[in-house]
Amino acid sequence: MPWTLIIAEDDEHLRSSLASDLQELLPGDVRIEDAPTVDDAFRRIDVASRDARGLAACATIHPDPSGAPGAWQLRAVATRADVRGAGHGRAVVEACLAHAWAREARLVWCHGRVGARGFYERLGFRAVSDVYEVPVSGPHVRMERAR
């Protein structure tokens, strides 16, 4: 099935649409409102892939909220269950990484769900923490990828 990759840098309408669609990909007890927001639109991007059925995968990347030099955070990575393994998740994460590397990022990190650890490892990330609980969304590990 053909699909399209969408990258939104400064398009608030598209961002709003992606946020609405993202809610459909999240587990039933997780609400999009629970995710922290970042007010750094000039460097943040939202990436999504769509197919004939709608949103297939999405991700967001932005400079690390702590201000750590050269560090960026990958967030809101989700893939619709019926298209897992088809390359959608990889495509949106790779687009996010390319954006960060082009802006001199030296490290990208995320709170990766324990069940998605293999996905991140196949993309070059490594686990750097023990398992910890993220409120509402369950067990995670900190995953990092250096440039």
Side-chain angles (χ1 to χ4, degrees):
M1 178 182 309
W3 52 281
T4 305
L5 192 64
I6 301 162
I7 300 175
E9 290 189 63
D10 293 315
D11 185 332
E12 285 305 317
H13 176 72
L14 181 55
R15 274 211 175 105
S16 175
S17 170
L18 292 179
S20 172
D21 288 345
L22 170 61
Q23 186 62 60
E24 295 176 23
L25 298 182
L26 294 173
D29 59 342
V30 178
R31 306 299 311 159
I32 192 70
E33 302 87 49
D34 295 331
T37 58
V38 174
D39 188 20
D40 196 0
F42 74 96
R43 296 181 75 196
R44 165 188 153 179
I45 64 165
D46 300 294
V47 181
S49 79
R50 292 186 189 274
D51 63 13
R53 293 191 52 214
L55 185 70
C58 60
T60 294
I61 195 163
H62 55 78
D64 188 318
S66 75
W72 285 60
Q73 183 181 6
L74 180 67
R75 293 183 38 236
V77 178
T79 303
R80 202 174 67 224
D82 66 310
V83 296
R84 289 191 182 134
H88 292 269
R90 172 179 287 279
V92 297
V93 170
E94 286 179 345
C96 286
L97 292 171
H99 176 81
W101 301 149
R103 284 152 187 83
E104 301 182 9
R106 294 188 305 274
L107 175 79
V108 172
W109 67 275
C110 68
H111 299 289
R113 285 182 343 286
V114 169
R117 181 175 175 166
F119 167 76
Y120 290 109
E121 288 173 340
R122 287 188 297 278
L123 288 167
F125 286 81
R126 63 184 179 84
V128 296
S129 75
D130 291 329
V131 175
Y132 54 90
E133 287 291 318
V134 171
V136 183
S137 57
H140 284 66
V141 292
R142 181 176 168 120
M143 304 293 296
E144 292 183 354
R145 179 172 166 181
R147 176 126 199 225

